[in-house]
Amino acid sequence: MKRNIIISAFIIITLTFSSCASRSKDEVEIKIDDLLSEMTLEEKIGQLTLFTSSWTQTGPTMREGYLNDVKQGKCGNIFNAHTAEYTSELQRIAVEETRLGIPLLFGYDVIHGYKTIFPIPLAEACSWDLDLIEKSARLSAKEAAAAGLHWNFNPMVDISRDPRWGRVAEGSGEDTYLGSLIASAKVRGIQGDDLKDESTLLACVKHFAAYGAAQAGRDYHTVDMSERVLRETYLPPYRAAIDAGSATVMTSFNELDGVPASGSKYLMTDVLREEWKFRGFVVTDYTAINEMIPHGFAKDTADAALLAMKAGVDMDMQGGTYLLHLQDLIDQGKVQEAAIDQAVRRILKAKFDLGLFDDPYRYSDVDRENQVVLSKEMMDHSREAGRKSIVLLKNDAIDGKTLLPLNKKPKQLALIGPLAHNQMDILGTWHASGDASKSTTVLDGIKEVAPDIDVVYAEGCKTYGEDRSGFAEAISVAKRSDIVLMAVGENYRQNGEAASRTNLNLPGMQEELMEAILDLGKPVVLILMSGRPLTIENLSQKVPAILNTWHLGTKGGSAIADVLFGDYNPSGKLVMTFPRNVGQIPIYYNMKNTGRPFKAKDKYTSKYLDVANDPLYPFGYGLSYTAFEYSDLSLSQSTMRLDEDLNISVGVTNTGSRAGEEVVQLYIRDLVGNVTRPVKELKGFKKISLEPGQTQLVEFTISAEDLKFYNQDMSFKAEPGDFLLYVGGSSDADLSGKFELIN
C-alpha cells in the first residue's frame, strides 16, 4: 500500500532532495542539519521518545495519549506496532498531521521469527552453522519488514553460564568465541548489504552490557565482575555486532560496577563510542531509565533522565523521562541542547538510511505482506533450521541395536506428554506474532513423516501443577505400544524474560509421569523440549535415547519427526553445559584450574562430596546416528613466533553406516600466563559432512592474535610460553598436541 501524500513544504524539499540517484553521507548530514534548524526543542525531544502500541482481541491499537503525542511531534518512534495496514495509518498521521512530517520508526522484538517462528536462538546456535543462522535472521527480517516494521530488537548476544536465568533461551550460550561469530552473522542477516532494501531492518544488539551474568541467575539482578572478565568474556560479542555494522544498541537492565547500564558513561560513551567508534544510536530497554530510581542511583525521574543523557543514551523506551524532563534540564543548564541535537542526528540518520524520507510507506505494503508472511520459503526454513538444531544426547543399544532412528514399518507407538501435541509451546519464548494455529506438533510431524505408523497419543499431565488424573490413560497407552515417545519439558512461559528458576528438573508432574512409564519396561525415547539446559541426571541413567529438541518453532514437529525416523541425521552440538544438578551452577567448559585440582583419593582437592565435578553433558557435545573417529593430529611446527601462523590438521573418518555431519572443534590451553588462563578455550570449528567410510583432512590456522588475553596491567597481548591444543567432537576432546610461542 503506497500513498502519494506530501504535506509540508519541508517534506517536498526533503523528498526531492533524497530522490537523487547518488546521495553522499555529507549530503545526508547537511539535510539533517537543515531539518534540525527547523525543529523546536519539543520536536527534537520527541525524536528521542519511543512509546508502545497495544493489541486487543480486535487487533492493533494506540493509546489515545500516545496518538496525541505523535500528532504533536512528541513521539517519533513506536514499538509493538505491526502489520502493513496499521503501520501505514500511523505513518500517515506522522507525515500528514505533524508540522514537519518526520516519519515514524517502527520497532519490534523479532527474536526468532515474526509470524513464522524458527528455533529459539539457544537451539539454533547448537547447529554451529553460521550460514543457517544468518539466513534465519535474513528471513525473519524479510517477513517482519513485509509487515511494516523497520527495526528489530535483536540480536541478543549476552553470554551466560547460568541456566537458571531464563533468557539463556534468547542467546547463543556460554562461549565468547562462538557467540561473537553468531552475533556478526545475525547482524549481517538482519541488515543485509543495504538498509534501503525493503526486506532489511535495523539491527539492535542487546543487552549492553553483561546482562547474562545476573547474580544467582535471577533476571534483572546485579552484575559484578572484574574488568578483565568483562572484556575477555562478555564484551566481545557486542563488539563483534558493532564491527558487523549494527545500527543500534540497547542498554541492559542490570548494574555493572555499581552503575546501572543506562546511566553508565563508561559503557555508553567511553567503550561504545570512543573506543569502538560506534556511530549509531543507543536505546534503553523498557523503562530502564526510570528503574535507576529503585536501583538507588537516581533520586527521581528528572535525575534519571539527566544521568541517562550524560551517559550517552539517545532514546528512552517507554519511560517518558526525556519527554517529561529534558526541556527543564536544558533550561536549568544541566543539559546542553547540543547533546540533544547529537542524539537526534543519530536517529534521523537511521531513518534516512532506511529510505523513510524517500517514501515513508515503503515498508507498509499489504501485497508484499500477503506474499511473504507464512510463505513456503519461511515454512521450509523453519523445518530445516529445526532439524539442524536438535542435539542427540543419548542413544544406547537395546538388544544390540540403537533405539534411534526408528524405522517406518507398521508398529504401534505411544506418544505421551504435555508437549507432544501442543501448538503454542513448541514456538518457544519471545515468539513475536507467531501463529500457533500454523504450528506442526510432534504428533502432526510423526503422522506426516511416517503415515503408516499407528501412533496413539495421551497428554498424561501438564507442564505445571500437581494433576495426575491423566496418568492412567498414559500408562494404558504405553502398555499396548511397542515403543514410547515422551515429549516433556518446559512450556514457553517457563523460560525467557522474567522466568528464572532455581529448580531445573522437569516442572510439574512430568518426572513422576516419566518414572511411571519407565516402570513398564518399554523402550522409551525422551524428547526433551525446553529453553535452557535442564537437570535430567536421574532420567539420563534410565532412558536409552534422549533427543534435546529445545523449542523449534512453527515446523518443529516436522523437524523432530525427521530426526526420529532418520530422514535427517542429527548433528547439533551443545552450546551450554548441562549440569548434573543446580548445585554445580555456574558450570561451563572453560573454567579455570585451582591450586588444588581434583584428585579422587585426596579429600583436600577441589570437588564436591555428593556429586562429580564434571557435567552431565559438556559444551560441544552431541551424538550422531553414525560415528566419527579422529586421528593423525599434525602441527606444522612445534614452535611459533609472534608474527607466524600455526597450521593444524586432523583426519576425521565416518566409521559408521550412515552419512552424517560432524562439528570438528579446536581448543587451546595456555599453560602458564601472567594471569591464570582457562583450562580450554574454543579457537576454531568446522562443520563437515562425510559419507560412510569417508575420511577428510580438516585444517585450522591460528596466529598470536588467537592467543591474546588481558594481562595484569590490562594489556591485551599474547605471551610466549607453552600451549596445549585439543581437537575433537566436543570440549572433552583428548586428542592433543603441544607447541611453544616464542618472541
Side-chain angles (χ1 to χ4, degrees), residues 19-36:
S19 63
C20 298
S22 65
R23 183 174 59 190
S24 71
K25 179 181 178 182
D26 288 342
E27 289 173 325
V28 170
E29 289 175 349
I30 292 169
K31 180 51 62 178
I32 290 172
D33 287 340
D34 290 344
L35 180 50
L36 274 169

Side-chain angles (χ1 to χ4, degrees), residues 627-631 650-656 662 690 694-696 735:
F628 299 97
E629 182 178 287
Y630 288 75
S631 62
V650 65
V652 184
T653 303
N654 182 346
T655 59
E662 172 73 337
L690 296 175
Q694 182 183 0
T695 297
Q696 181 173 329
L735 184 61

Side-chain angles (χ1 to χ4, degrees), residues 40 72 381:
T40 66
Q72 295 169 26
H381 184 73

Side-chain angles (χ1 to χ4, degrees), residues 55-74:
W55 283 73
T56 67
Q57 290 184 338
T58 58
T61 184
M62 280 286 286
R63 303 176 199 177
E64 186 175 350
Y66 292 166
L67 201 56
N68 288 334
D69 286 336
V70 171
K71 292 177 180 179
Q72 295 169 26
K74 295 180 179 179

Side-chain angles (χ1 to χ4, degrees), residues 668-673 677-678 681 707 709 719 721-724:
I668 287 177
R669 179 176 183 182
D670 187 346
L671 291 174
V672 179
R677 305 301 302 133
E681 293 181 284
L707 308 177
F709 62 95
E719 291 181 351
D722 292 329
F723 292 79
L724 291 178

Side-chain angles (χ1 to χ4, degrees), residues 627-692:
F628 299 97
E629 182 178 287
Y630 288 75
S631 62
D632 301 323
L633 178 64
S634 175
L635 282 64
S636 60
Q637 56 212 50
S638 59
T639 59
M640 168 187 166
R641 291 198 305 270
L642 289 167
D643 59 352
E644 290 183 323
D645 290 341
L646 178 69
N647 299 314
I648 304 108
S649 64
V650 65
V652 184
T653 303
N654 182 346
T655 59
S657 58
R658 288 174 173 265
E661 296 171 286
E662 172 73 337
V663 180
V664 183
Q665 301 160 46
L666 170 69
Y667 296 88
I668 287 177
R669 179 176 183 182
D670 187 346
L671 291 174
V672 179
N674 177 264
V675 295
T676 58
R677 305 301 302 133
V679 293
K680 282 183 181 177
E681 293 181 284
L682 180 70
K683 293 296 181 180
F685 65 90
K686 292 187 178 180
K687 191 166 188 176
I688 63 172
S689 180
L690 296 175
E691 295 296 320

